């Protein structure tokens, strides 16, 4: 009986937690549903979808071609040059590789503003990683085959479809292959596009084609702060100088205290002590140790809170060690260096771009789930530009691993592109 009660209560608590953290799901607004219906029932859209259907094998070939051009972090140039040529071949204008390395190309519409559609060029894999694609039935395997080669190829399929149907959007569309989306790239490509390049301040909406699956839309940008922290002290002989302050003690204390911070489950907020090193020898009090930390939240406010607590903990840990042992030969100091800074934020449910996506999925009978992640959309979202990250492929898994794969079955991938294209066209105006 007792066990049953506890189990029931456990289940109730789990359900409550799930409800608290589950993304809100809602029907599209009648206006958005009507816009999507109007677009999808137009002859031009039917032509575009026919081109997507007929272009399925080409899409697969583009994925393979792009995947097999290595694009390690900070070394995206070879893939950028190939992608630039693919933009040129599709008749985009003003095609160039900008100062930071992004590939940009315009598809002129009626000039009623500018929307940006993009996918990222870089992978997480270092130089020398084998990138030959292996096909087994309806699956492609290779490091980076999904993330984000498929996003790049899906973007090309959208351009081909619009061209085949002769669609002229009200807004101009800037298509982009960005650099530096992954890891220490720190979103430098999209950051440049929005804060420095010639298109800065012009975009009224932004799409990133990144991530996979048939029923989710990324509307939140999980922000992150990453620090490399160095603790220093006088060092000394482990036996002869015993009693002197030790930076290792301070760093350990900081880790223990960090893990006492209570963060909210919703908005999801996290922290991690991730990588460490230092010391002189086994028989020395170290004069220097270091550690890397990662903090994330979908809320800018919660991220700022956990960062503030973290920085206070570092100072306190050094002070505690200086008070606990002798500072005769020197004191413990701590130097936090910010090595990653991705802004957080969320595109509101009522924004047109989210409404149109919701309506385009609803038109296929799919109830959309909203999620948060760290993608190129973080930057426009943080600047108040409505942005979402849409799915590049119907199925796949093992991103960022050597056995990454995607599913290239036709029906679902054509459907997904139909949804993505309808959302883009509704946002650009058609
Ligand atoms: Zn990605």
């Amino acid at each position: 009986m007792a066990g049953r009660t506890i189990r029931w209560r456990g289940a109730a608590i789990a359900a409550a937690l799930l409800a608290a953290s589950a993304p809100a799901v809602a029907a599209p607004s009648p206006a958005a549903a009507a816009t999507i219906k109007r677009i999808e029932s137009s002859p031009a859209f039917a032509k575009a979808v026919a081109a997507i259907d007929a272009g399925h094998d080409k899409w697969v070939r583009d994925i393979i071609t792009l995947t097999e051009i290595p694009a390690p972090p900070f070394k995206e140039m070879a893939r950028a040059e190939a992608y630039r040529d693919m933009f040129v071949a599709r008749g985009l204008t003003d095609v160039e590789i900008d100062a930071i390395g992004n590939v940009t190309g315009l598809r002129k519409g009626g000039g009623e503003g500018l929307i940006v559609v993009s996918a990222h060029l870089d992978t997480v894999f270092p130089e020398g990683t084998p990138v030959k694609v292996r096909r087994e039935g309806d699956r492609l395997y290779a490091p980076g085959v999904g993330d984000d080669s498929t996003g790049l190829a899906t973007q090309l399929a959208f351009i081909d479809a619009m061209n085949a149907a002769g669609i002229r959007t009200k807004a101009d569309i800037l298509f982009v292959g960005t650099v530096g989306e992954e890891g220490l790239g720190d979103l430098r490509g999209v950051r440049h596009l929005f804060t420095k390049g010639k298109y800065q301040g012009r975009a009224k909406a932004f799409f990133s084609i990144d991530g996979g699956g048939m029923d989710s839309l990324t509307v939140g940008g999980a922000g992150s702060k990453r620090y490399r922290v160095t603790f220093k002290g006088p060092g000394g002989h482990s036996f002869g100088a015993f009693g002197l302050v030790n930076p290792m003690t301070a760093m350990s204390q900081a880790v223990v205290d960090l893990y006492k911070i209570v963060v909210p489950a919703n908005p999801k907020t996290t922290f991690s002590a991730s990588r460490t090193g230092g010391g002189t020898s086994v028989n020395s009090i170290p004069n220097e140790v270091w550690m890397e930390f990662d903090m994330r939240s979908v809320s800018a406010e919660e991220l700022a809170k956990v960062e503030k607590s973290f920085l206070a903990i570092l100072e306190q840990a050094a002070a505690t060690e200086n008070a606990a042992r002798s500072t005769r030969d020197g004191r413990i100091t701590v130097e936090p260096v910010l090595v990653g800074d991705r802004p957080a934020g969320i595109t509101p449910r009522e924004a047109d771009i989210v409404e149109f996506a919701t309506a385009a999925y609803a038109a296929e009978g799919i109830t959309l789930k909203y999620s948060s992640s760290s993608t190129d959309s973080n930057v426009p979202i943080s600047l108040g530009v409505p942005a979402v990250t849409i799915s590049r492929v119907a199925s796949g898994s093992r991103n960022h691993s050597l056995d990454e794969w995607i599913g290239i079955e036709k029906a679902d991938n054509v459907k997904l592109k139909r949804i993505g294209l309808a959302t883009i066209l509704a946002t650009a105006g058609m």
Side-chain angles (χ1 to χ4, degrees):
M1 272 295 272
R4 222 157 140 195
T5 309
I6 287 163
R7 266 207 304 280
W8 180 84
R9 283 171 63 187
I13 290 165
L17 283 174
L18 206 64
S21 62
V25 171
S29 70
T35 301
I36 292 295
K37 191 170 178 199
R38 178 177 54 74
I39 289 172
E40 292 194 338
S41 54
S42 70
F45 191 79
K47 257 191 193 169
V49 173
I52 287 171
D53 191 276
H56 180 75
D57 291 341
K58 184 163 183 253
W59 175 69
V60 173
R61 285 196 301 274
D62 284 341
I63 294 169
I64 295 169
T65 300
L66 288 160
T67 305
E68 293 185 347
I69 305 168
F74 297 94
K75 289 172 184 164
E76 299 100 335
M77 194 46 113
R79 187 178 287 181
E81 285 171 350
Y83 204 54
R84 176 191 58 198
D85 295 347
M86 291 167 149
F87 274 2
V88 170
R90 282 164 175 82
L92 298 186
T93 59
D94 297 72
V95 176
E96 62 177 322
I97 296 178
D98 71 14
I100 198 93
N102 298 316
V103 182
T104 57
L106 264 182
R107 191 173 187 280
K108 288 270 189 198
E112 295 177 31
L114 181 78
I115 76 158
V116 177
V117 178
S118 81
H120 66 87
L121 293 162
D122 58 316
T123 71
V124 295
F125 301 100
E127 246 174 333
T129 303
V131 289
K132 186 97 186 118
V133 177
R134 187 176 91 248
R135 181 170 183 165
E136 284 179 21
D138 269 348
R139 284 190 179 187
L140 297 182
Y141 292 82
V145 69
D147 189 9
D148 194 23
S149 304
T150 302
L152 295 167
T154 297
Q155 172 155 264
L156 297 177
F158 287 151
I159 300 169
D160 286 338
M162 284 186 230
N163 288 349
I167 290 172
R168 182 175 157 89
T169 50
K170 289 180 181 165
D172 299 335
I173 303 179
L174 181 71
F175 289 97
V176 186
T178 59
V179 293
E181 193 275 338
E182 301 283 6
L184 291 176
D186 211 25
L187 309 181
R188 74 181 190 286
V190 71
R191 215 186 289 267
H192 178 87
L193 192 71
F194 274 87
T195 62
K196 291 203 185 86
K198 70 181 183 193
Y199 297 104
Q200 76 170 99
R202 290 184 52 194
K204 59 179 186 178
F206 177 88
F207 290 88
S208 172
I209 310 167
D210 200 357
M214 284 303 289
D215 62 356
S216 76
L217 180 76
T218 302
V219 296
S224 65
K225 294 273 186 178
R226 291 164 181 169
Y227 277 92
R228 184 180 169 104
V229 181
T230 307
F231 288 84
K232 291 181 182 169
H237 197 286
S238 60
F239 190 72
F242 182 68
L244 293 187
V245 286
N246 185 335
M248 184 86 80
T249 318
M251 189 168 78
S252 307
Q253 187 65 51
V255 174
V256 170
D257 287 347
L258 175 66
Y259 277 77
K260 289 178 188 160
I261 296 180
V262 178
V263 285
N266 188 21
K268 186 172 179 180
T269 304
T270 64
F271 52 77
S272 177
S274 306
R275 218 161 70 93
T276 189
T280 310
S281 68
V282 70
N283 55 346
S284 300
I285 300 167
N287 58 3
E288 187 173 314
V289 291
W290 61 267
M291 187 173 279
E292 289 173 354
F293 297 88
D294 168 89
M295 288 164 275
R296 301 186 187 216
S297 179
V298 295
S299 150
E301 199 186 335
E302 292 297 337
L303 183 60
K305 261 199 233 172
V306 70
E307 182 190 25
K308 194 176 169 209
S309 302
F310 165 72
L311 292 172
I313 282 166
L314 298 180
E315 289 300 327
Q316 187 55 49
T320 301
E321 178 61 6
N322 282 327
R325 266 160 286 280
S326 172
T327 55
R328 184 187 71 216
D329 291 347
R331 301 172 63 79
I332 300 296
T333 60
V334 56
E335 292 164 28
V337 175
L338 187 66
V339 293
D341 183 6
R342 294 169 178 238
I346 195 153
T347 297
R349 173 66 182 78
E350 321 72 74
D352 280 350
I353 196 170
V354 181
E355 284 287 1
F356 289 142
T358 306
Y361 275 92
E364 306 286 344
I366 299 169
T367 304
L368 192 54
K369 298 189 190 97
Y370 307 113
S371 63
S372 289
S373 180
S374 175
T375 69
D376 272 343
S377 291
N378 283 45
V379 168
I381 289 173
S382 75
L383 295 170
V385 177
V388 295
T389 297
I390 62 175
S391 179
R392 60 186 165 232
V393 71
S395 65
S397 191
R398 305 288 296 141
N399 290 349
H400 295 197
S401 82
L402 295 176
D403 50 347
E404 182 173 354
W405 64 270
I406 56 159
I408 51 169
E409 65 284 359
K410 188 171 175 182
D412 276 351
N413 280 300
V414 169
K415 184 194 281 190
L416 191 65
K417 288 192 198 77
R418 190 163 66 213
I419 293 168
L421 183 63
T423 307
I424 291 167
L425 293 175
T427 306
M430 176 187 160

